[in-house]
C-alpha cells in the first residue's frame, strides 16, 4: 500500500525556535491515525506544516508522491481538509449552508451550487447523522453537533485526507466517543486518511489504527497502539516523575504503585477492582507475583486472601478495597513497633 502522505527528515517550528526535527512518518488511506503529545510537544505545529499552513524548516512532505511545495492552494484544498480546534462561530447560517461551504474549491468565485454539488452536501450531512438538523441554525446546535457539521463540511470537500486538531477538545464524554467513532467509520468506509491530534488517551488507544507519539526528547514513534504498548514505547513516552503507564490496563496513574496485589476471577469485576486498587496506591498483578490475592466471583462476591491464610469476604468493590486498606494499615503499625 502506497502512503497518501510521506514525511521524511522533517524539521518543524519557527526560524528562531525549532520545535522538532528528523520526523519520519507515513499516512495511509483507510486508517485513523492519532497524534499524541504533551502540551508544547508540537502537535499543532506538525499538523499546520503537513497541510501547508506553515512552512517546514527542513526535510520534505510528499503528497501522492509529489512535493507539498509543488501544489497550489487550490489543488491542496481538494486533497486535504482541515478542522481546527477553535469553536465554530457561524451561528447565523444553517447547517446545510455551512456544509455547502465545503464545495468552495469546486464552485468558483460566485459559489453557485449545481445539482451535483447539492447532492454531495446532502450526502455529507447524512454521513455524520445530521439530516434532521440540516435546516437548523448552527447557533442552535450543541458542541458535539457542531463538530459533526464541521466534519461534514470537510466531507463535502471530497478530500482523501482529513486533518483535525483536537476535534474532541470542547466535547462531553458521549460526544467525544461519537466523534472519534464517526471518524474511524469514515476512514474505513470512505477510504480516507484521517490524522487527528488528541489528549484523549483512552479513545486513542481504543479507536486508532495507528499512533504517532510526538516527544521533543526522541524521534517520532509510529505504530499500531497494541505494538507500541507491548514493546514498551508507551512507557518511555510517559516517562515522567510520579507518572506510570500500566500496559496491562492501558491506564496512567499519578503515583508510583509499589504494593502488588494479585487479582483473578470474573473479568469485569476484576477490571474494576483493579481500577479501585490503582486509585488507592496498589498495583494489580498476576497470581504468581503476589502472596496477597483478591478473587472476584461476581460484583457482590469478592474474597481477599492474606499470606497467613486469613480470608476476608466482601460485598462490592468498595468493601473489598476498604478491607485491604485496613489490613495494610495494621501491618504497617505492627512493623513500626
Amino acid at each position: 500500500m502506497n502512503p497518501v502522505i510521506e514525511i521524511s527528515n522533517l524539521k518543524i517550528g519557527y526560524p528562531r525556535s525549532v520545535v522538532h526535527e528528523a520526523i519520519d512518518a507515513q499516512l495511509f488511506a483507510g486508517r485513523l491515525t492519532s497524534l499524541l503529545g504533551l502540551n508544547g510537544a508540537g502537535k499543532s505545529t506538525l499538523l499546520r506544516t503537513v497541510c501547508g499552513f506553515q512552512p517546514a524548516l527542513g526535510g520534505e512532505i510528499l503528497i501522492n508522491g509529489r512535493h507539498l511545495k509543488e501544489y497550489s492552494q487550490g489543488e491542496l484544498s481538494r486533497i486535504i481538509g482541515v478542522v481546527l480546534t477553535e469553536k465554530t462561530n457561524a451561528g447565523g447560517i444553517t447547517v446545510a449552508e455551512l456544509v455547502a461551504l465545503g464545495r468552495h474549491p469546486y464552485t468558483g468565485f460566485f459559489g453557485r451550487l449545481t445539482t451535483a454539488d447539492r447532492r454531495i452536501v446532502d450526502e455529507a450531512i447524512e454521513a455524520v447523522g445530521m439530516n434532521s438538523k440540516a435546516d437548523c441554525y448552527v447557533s442552535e446546535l450543541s458542541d458535539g453537533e457542531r463538530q459533526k457539521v464541521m466534519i461534514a463540511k470537510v466531507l463535502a470537500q471530497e478530500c482523501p485526507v482529513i486533518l483535525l486538531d483536537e476535534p474532541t477538545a470542547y466535547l462531553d464524554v458521549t460526544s467525544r466517543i461519537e466523534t472519534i467513532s464517526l471518524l474511524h467509520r469514515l476512514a474505513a468506509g470512505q477510504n480516507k486518511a484521517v490524522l487527528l491530534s488528541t489528549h484523549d488517551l483512552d479513545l486513542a488507544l481504543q479507536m486508532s489504527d495507528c499512533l504517532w507519539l510526538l516527544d521533543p526528547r526522541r524521534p517520532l514513534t509510529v505504530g499500531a497502539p497494541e505494538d507500541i504498548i507491548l514493546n514498551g514505547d508507551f512507557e518511555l513516552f510517559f516517562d515522567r516523575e510520579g507518572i506510570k503507564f500500566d500496559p496491562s490496563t492501558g491506564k496512567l496513574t499519578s503515583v508510583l504503585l509499589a504494593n502488588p496485589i494479585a487479582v483473578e476471577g470474573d473479568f469485569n469485576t476484576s477490571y474494576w477492582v483493579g481500577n479501585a486498587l490503582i486509585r488507592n496506591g496498589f498495583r494489580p498483578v498476576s497470581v504468581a507475583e503476589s502472596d496477597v490475592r483478591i478473587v472476584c466471583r461476581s460484583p457482590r462476591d469478592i474474597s481477599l486472601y492474606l499470606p497467613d491464610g486469613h480470608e476476608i469476604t466482601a460485598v462490592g468493590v468498595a468493601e473489598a478495597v476498604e478491607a485491604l486498606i485496613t489490613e495494610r494499615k495494621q501491618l504497617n503499625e505492627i512493623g513500626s513497633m
Side-chain angles (χ1 to χ4, degrees), residues 198-318:
T198 183
H199 286 290
D200 202 326
L201 178 62
D202 288 343
L203 276 178
L205 292 178
Q206 291 175 37
M207 301 301 299
S208 303
D209 300 300
C210 182
L211 295 181
W212 290 5
L213 304 185
L214 189 63
D215 186 336
R217 304 172 301 169
R218 53 179 62 92
L220 181 74
T221 300
V222 176
E226 297 77 14
D227 289 332
I228 289 178
I229 289 173
L230 292 174
N231 65 25
D233 285 333
F234 226 92
E235 292 179 80
L236 290 175
F237 182 68
F238 287 106
D239 182 19
R240 301 290 189 277
E241 184 177 353
I243 299 293
K244 180 179 176 60
F245 176 79
D246 185 349
S248 66
T249 63
K251 290 180 178 294
L252 287 172
T253 178
S254 60
V255 294
L256 297 176
L257 306 176
N259 301 286
I261 305 294
V263 182
E264 60 180 318
D266 173 65
F267 179 82
N268 285 336
T269 307
S270 297
Y271 177 85
W272 289 109
V273 166
N275 187 76
L277 290 177
I278 291 172
R279 186 173 63 250
N280 287 281
F282 297 96
R283 179 164 56 94
V285 296
S286 66
V287 175
E289 297 177 78
S290 175
D291 56 1
V292 179
R293 290 189 303 139
I294 295 181
V295 177
C296 307
R297 300 179 186 87
S298 74
R300 309 296 292 175
D301 185 2
I302 302 171
S303 294
L304 171 63
Y305 294 92
L306 301 175
D308 61 3
H310 184 206
E311 176 186 353
I312 300 174
T313 58
V315 179
V317 176

Side-chain angles (χ1 to χ4, degrees), residues 49-276:
T49 305
V50 170
C51 69
F53 288 0
Q54 182 171 330
L57 301 180
E60 64 178 11
I61 301 171
L62 300 180
I63 302 175
N64 293 324
R66 182 180 166 194
H67 201 288
L68 173 63
K69 295 178 181 178
E70 299 175 2
Y71 286 89
S72 68
Q73 284 300 315
E75 289 175 318
L76 279 178
S77 67
R78 297 185 182 208
I79 297 174
I80 301 178
V82 181
V83 178
L84 299 176
T85 310
E86 290 80 9
K87 283 191 176 183
T88 307
N89 262 330
I93 64 176
T94 67
V95 167
E97 290 168 340
L98 178 56
V99 175
L101 294 178
R103 297 302 298 161
H104 178 70
Y106 307 91
T107 56
F109 180 78
F110 294 103
R112 293 195 182 98
L113 298 179
T114 65
T115 300
D117 290 323
R118 296 187 184 282
R119 174 181 54 78
I120 292 169
V121 169
D122 291 342
E123 289 174 352
I125 294 173
E126 181 178 4
V128 300
M130 291 292 288
N131 309 58
S132 63
K133 299 292 182 75
D135 297 323
C136 294
Y137 286 104
V138 176
S139 59
E140 300 172 343
L141 306 180
S142 68
D143 287 339
E145 290 172 332
R146 291 190 190 197
Q147 194 62 277
K148 289 181 181 179
V149 174
M150 294 306 297
I151 294 171
K153 175 176 173 289
V154 169
L155 291 179
Q157 281 182 245
E158 295 187 302
C159 299
V161 180
I162 301 177
L163 305 184
L164 306 99
D165 191 7
E166 294 284 355
T168 60
Y170 302 109
L171 307 183
D172 58 34
V173 173
T174 301
S175 296
R176 291 203 301 270
I177 295 172
E178 289 178 344
T179 299
I180 300 300
S181 298
L182 168 63
L183 290 170
H184 189 270
R185 290 198 306 273
L186 293 173
Q190 298 191 15
N191 200 38
K192 294 182 183 294
V194 179
L195 172 62
L196 62 92
S197 66
T198 183
H199 286 290
D200 202 326
L201 178 62
D202 288 343
L203 276 178
L205 292 178
Q206 291 175 37
M207 301 301 299
S208 303
D209 300 300
C210 182
L211 295 181
W212 290 5
L213 304 185
L214 189 63
D215 186 336
R217 304 172 301 169
R218 53 179 62 92
L220 181 74
T221 300
V222 176
E226 297 77 14
D227 289 332
I228 289 178
I229 289 173
L230 292 174
N231 65 25
D233 285 333
F234 226 92
E235 292 179 80
L236 290 175
F237 182 68
F238 287 106
D239 182 19
R240 301 290 189 277
E241 184 177 353
I243 299 293
K244 180 179 176 60
F245 176 79
D246 185 349
S248 66
T249 63
K251 290 180 178 294
L252 287 172
T253 178
S254 60
V255 294
L256 297 176
L257 306 176
N259 301 286
I261 305 294
V263 182
E264 60 180 318
D266 173 65
F267 179 82
N268 285 336
T269 307
S270 297
Y271 177 85
W272 289 109
V273 166
N275 187 76

